[in-house]
Amino acid sequence: MRDFTVPEKSDGKKVIRAAILEFPNLTPAVLQKALKHKDIRINGKRISSDTTVSAGDRVEIWIPDALFEKEAEPKKPEFDDYKVVFESDDLLLVNKRQGLAVHGGKGMEGDCLIDILRKDYHNKNLDLCHRIDMNTGGLILTAKNKKSLEEAISLFKADLITKRYRCLVRGVPTCGEHVICQDEAIMKEVSAYLEKPATGNVFIHDIPKEGDLPITSRYRVLKVYNGAGPEGEDVSDIEVELVTGRTHQIRAQFAHLGHPIIGDGNYGRNQYNLYFRNLRGGKVRHQQLFASTLLFGKIPKENIHHRLSGRSFSIEPLYDVKL
């Protein structure tokens, strides 16, 4: 058992966030399990949900001491939910951690990114300009007011904001036709058709079926880890640019091409994923996929975001795989 008194910096935060700030080796999964078993107490009272704490509260966590102290080899670089990448009077661009949902949804426990940002910035009008999967880390653009949100969304619709991702995939992709992107990067372009059922995973087809949506992605191989996979198979670090932005597009399309993302339990293969270890020697917990770059095109002067014309923002992916 360990306990701590909630400091001022954690006032108003959820107990899981406050506990991780005090004990960095703990994980959200361990703390969620402790809540389920009522092994966390606030001021002597057992709790079963991710409760808000106040400065001065005494928190007790009744779990084995080894879970507080366990720290294997190199520790994965992490941060508390998000880091600010860019901020203006109208926009806030953050780099979110993997495992944090950007918005609320069925079955989700604890705060999501937009709730956390609204509380941290004391702005109930702050909203998402786009979305990424819970288990995808990286860049999320948010708007601080309705006008800013509408004009940012209009830029996405006009293809004046380009999204790029980084991911680790099985093998070395070679298919596609060469194209020159807006920033003169040379990539290969691949197209297919996506079937989106009412629920569950999407499906990719080379020949369209009724109701399918066309999809196009561009990619380039940045680095090859020779022999890093099972039976000496290569692993590639690739950058992907979305031309269309469909549900699970990158994950499903590259799995269809024979290059699933490491750690993707939906579109990859469990046996393949289980071969890899994370930086602490355990299982790879998340798909190794990060929203890594936002490129702004030539924005019209009448748009309030025109000063971002030609700018780009990038982050380095925090891959959690030993290669």
Side-chain angles (χ1 to χ4, degrees):
M1 189 277 285
R2 299 285 177 88
D3 63 353
F4 68 95
T5 300
V6 176
E8 287 291 340
K9 69 177 182 179
S10 293
D11 184 60
K13 295 185 185 297
K14 296 292 188 178
V15 68
I16 286 181
R17 293 185 72 209
I20 290 175
L21 287 174
E22 296 299 316
F23 306 110
N25 288 326
L26 292 181
T27 66
V30 165
L31 291 166
Q32 288 285 5
K33 186 176 180 180
L35 285 173
K36 183 178 179 181
H37 292 95
K38 296 185 178 181
D39 290 332
I40 298 179
R41 301 176 185 177
I42 298 177
N43 299 326
K45 182 180 178 180
R46 292 175 181 267
I47 60 170
S48 59
S49 61
D50 196 8
T51 304
T52 300
V53 295
S54 301
D57 283 347
R58 183 169 179 264
V59 178
E60 301 171 44
I61 307 174
W62 291 79
I63 59 176
D65 285 346
L67 294 175
F68 294 92
E69 300 165 356
K70 186 177 180 182
E71 187 172 2
E73 301 171 9
K75 187 179 178 182
K76 178 188 176 184
E78 290 183 345
F79 45 86
D80 178 37
D81 290 333
Y82 69 91
K83 277 187 175 180
V84 175
V85 175
F86 169 80
E87 183 176 3
S88 68
D89 291 340
D90 299 300
L91 297 172
L92 177 67
L93 178 63
V94 301
N95 176 13
K96 87 162 184 79
R97 66 169 174 84
Q98 289 180 299
L100 176 66
V102 297
H103 59 89
K106 184 178 179 181
M108 197 199 84
E109 296 184 16
D111 282 347
C112 58
L113 176 66
I114 194 62
D115 289 338
I116 293 169
L117 291 175
R118 285 169 179 165
K119 290 177 182 178
D120 287 355
Y121 281 81
H122 307 288
N123 181 355
K124 65 181 181 180
N125 296 316
L126 202 148
D127 214 340
L128 299 165
C129 299
H130 62 111
R131 301 176 181 184
I132 60 176
D133 292 343
M134 178 175 73
N135 290 324
T136 299
L139 295 176
I140 281 287
L141 185 66
T142 66
K144 295 182 177 180
N145 53 70
K146 184 178 179 181
K147 175 70 170 176
S148 175
L149 176 65
E150 291 173 348
E151 300 214 2
I153 289 175
S154 74
L155 296 178
F156 280 106
K157 290 181 176 179
D159 295 326
L160 291 174
I161 302 179
T162 300
K163 292 183 283 187
R164 287 182 181 166
Y165 293 73
R166 292 271 299 278
C167 52
L168 295 174
V169 301
R170 182 175 189 170
V172 184
T174 59
C175 56
E177 300 296 326
H178 284 101
V179 293
I180 300 177
C181 303
Q182 70 175 70
D183 61 347
E184 300 186 352
I186 298 175
M187 293 188 168
K188 286 189 174 182
E189 187 170 281
V190 287
S191 297
Y193 301 90
L194 182 145
E195 174 189 349
K196 185 180 179 182
T199 58
N201 292 350
V202 303
F203 300 93
I204 306 298
H205 305 135
D206 294 318
I207 299 173
K209 298 183 178 181
E210 185 178 355
D212 281 4
L213 300 170
I215 59 171
T216 299
S217 304
R218 296 169 176 172
Y219 76 93
R220 58 180 171 180
V221 178
L222 301 179
K223 184 174 181 178
V224 176
Y225 294 89
N226 295 309
E231 299 180 359
E233 189 175 24
D234 295 339
V235 169
S236 298
D237 181 357
I238 68 173
E239 182 179 42
V240 182
E241 177 176 304
L242 287 179
V243 179
T244 57
R246 311 294 187 191
T247 301
H248 296 178
Q249 178 173 319
I250 295 173
R251 297 165 58 193
Q253 187 173 20
F254 279 86
H256 177 74
L257 293 172
H259 305 287
I261 295 171
I262 292 177
D264 189 342
N266 287 345
Y267 298 100
R269 294 289 181 270
N270 285 337
Q271 186 175 1
Y272 180 78
N273 289 332
L274 288 171
Y275 172 83
F276 297 95
R277 300 285 94 185
N278 65 28
L279 298 180
R280 295 158 305 287
K283 294 180 181 179
V284 176
R285 297 294 181 184
H286 300 297
Q287 61 211 23
Q288 298 304 294
L289 174 64
F290 292 82
S292 57
T293 298
L294 284 182
L295 296 169
F296 290 82
K298 189 175 182 181
I299 301 174
K301 288 188 177 180
E302 58 268 23
N303 189 293
I304 61 174
H305 306 307
H306 70 90
R307 292 179 181 174
L308 291 176
S309 284
R311 293 196 63 177
S312 66
F313 300 92
S314 296
I315 56 98
E316 278 296 312
L318 294 178
Y319 293 138
D320 192 20
V321 180
K322 287 184 180 180
L323 294 175

